[in-house]
Amino acid sequence: MADKNITARNEDKSVQTREETRASERYIKPSVNIIETENGLTLTADIPGAAKETVDINVDNGVLTINAPVSRSMCGQPVYTEFELAPYYRQFTIPEVLDLKKVKAEFECGILTLHLTKAEAAKPHKIAIKAA
């Protein structure tokens, strides 16, 4: 079962990162939690400073991409800063057992939540034994 979850697949495959294609831009890799249930996966990503309207989520060739620009507009001159604002960017290879047409997304208080449903054929099911 572990070989079909999203984290195991990402360890096995190398996803072309944005750093490889757009090295001059700086991105923050958001922290994520991925929970697997009987019905699918729930992915939560921490992307504070991003606005719901600008978060871009897409799937192409089995790769889920989260791209979220952040606003840099602040009144006044920074005197002291401990963190940097930069766009968020992260990719995941999606296992084929997930039904990508049923992906749902929510965004609240800087937390992006994606619900990825398993295809019906991939869900656990009991097999009845027929009498001989």
Side-chain angles (χ1 to χ4, degrees):
M1 181 98 170
D3 63 328
K4 293 184 178 179
N5 73 39
I6 194 169
T7 55
R9 298 281 254 165
N10 279 316
E11 292 170 3
D12 294 342
K13 294 182 177 181
S14 64
V15 175
Q16 183 179 18
T17 64
R18 178 164 255 174
E19 288 77 20
E20 294 172 0
T21 59
R22 305 174 89 183
S24 63
E25 297 180 45
R26 296 183 64 188
Y27 292 91
I28 295 174
K29 182 178 162 184
S31 298
V32 299
N33 289 334
I34 301 172
I35 308 296
E36 184 174 10
T37 66
E38 186 175 295
N39 295 322
L41 300 174
T42 300
L43 181 151
T44 53
D46 186 25
I47 50 176
K52 176 182 175 182
E53 299 76 26
T54 61
V55 175
D56 182 40
I57 308 158
N58 65 65
V59 178
D60 187 25
N61 290 325
V63 177
L64 170 72
T65 302
I66 300 170
N67 190 7
V70 295
S71 174
R72 294 178 186 242
S73 61
M74 293 179 161
C75 297
Q77 288 289 335
V79 183
Y80 177 77
T81 59
E82 290 191 347
F83 65 92
E84 182 178 349
L85 288 176
Y88 296 98
Y89 185 85
R90 188 129 185 213
Q91 290 185 314
F92 299 92
T93 302
I94 301 296
E96 295 175 4
V97 297
L98 297 175
D99 187 349
L100 299 178
K101 294 179 181 174
K102 294 182 178 177
V103 177
K104 294 180 182 172
E106 302 166 2
F107 186 78
E108 186 174 337
C109 300
I111 304 293
L112 174 68
T113 303
L114 299 177
H115 302 279
L116 303 124
T117 305
K118 287 182 182 175
E120 289 299 320
K123 290 182 180 176
H125 59 279
K126 193 164 188 120
I127 299 171
I129 300 173
K130 293 182 179 179

